[in-house]
Amino acid sequence: MNNKEIVKQVIEAFLKHNVDKALSFMADDIKMGWPGFFNLKPGKDAIREFYQNVPQMISSEIGEFIEEGNKVVGTGVVTARHGDGSLKKSFFADVYMLENGKVKEIKSYMVFEQSKEA
């Protein structure tokens, strides 16, 4: 499986809230963060704990993948139901760094859809 296929598997697993499957493609010392917001502690346990509090996914769509060497960018759109019952649509571009067939680092960039008031 090449790097792009690995990242596609990870994104699909995350979107289906199958964290264990996503983690199976990651190095034990995986680093994950949202630049400008926060970084999780290194390791799979931090990702597993983080995803316990992720809002319920209502719909998702995977976009495109761009690969250069050991770096793959995957994009997409998700709609999630938040704790207050509201639905929020967001767009993501996740940058994956791979080494020896395992994801070593994920940087996630996410933008929430804004109201379209004139």
Side-chain angles (χ1 to χ4, degrees):
M1 191 177 308
N2 66 34
N3 288 341
K4 193 184 294 187
E5 291 167 344
I6 291 168
V7 169
K8 185 175 184 199
Q9 291 292 316
V10 171
I11 291 175
E12 287 177 350
F14 275 144
L15 293 177
K16 293 177 181 174
H17 213 75
N18 188 344
V19 177
D20 287 330
K21 181 177 180 182
L23 291 174
S24 72
F25 294 98
M26 297 181 192
D28 290 336
D29 60 348
I30 179 72
K31 294 178 184 175
M32 187 173 188
W34 286 256
F37 291 98
F38 62 89
N39 290 307
L40 299 178
K41 295 181 298 184
K44 293 180 179 183
D45 288 340
I47 294 173
R48 192 175 283 112
E49 182 179 326
F50 174 79
Y51 271 91
Q52 290 177 354
N53 298 310
V54 169
Q56 176 190 6
M57 203 76 59
I58 301 300
S59 66
S60 62
E61 181 180 325
I62 294 177
E64 63 184 319
F65 293 90
I66 303 165
E67 180 176 10
E68 184 173 321
N70 286 332
K71 188 181 293 185
V72 178
V73 177
T75 67
V77 180
V78 298
T79 300
R81 183 176 313 282
H82 290 257
D84 63 1
S86 66
L87 295 179
K88 292 186 181 173
K89 187 175 190 177
S90 58
F91 306 85
F92 67 86
D94 294 344
V95 181
Y96 290 77
M97 294 296 298
L98 293 96
E99 184 178 289
N100 300 320
K102 292 285 188 178
V103 178
K104 291 284 288 178
E105 184 176 1
I106 305 169
K107 291 180 183 176
S108 186
Y109 299 87
M110 186 168 279
V111 176
F112 288 94
E113 184 175 58
Q114 301 297 307
S115 62
K116 296 173 182 159
E117 296 177 15

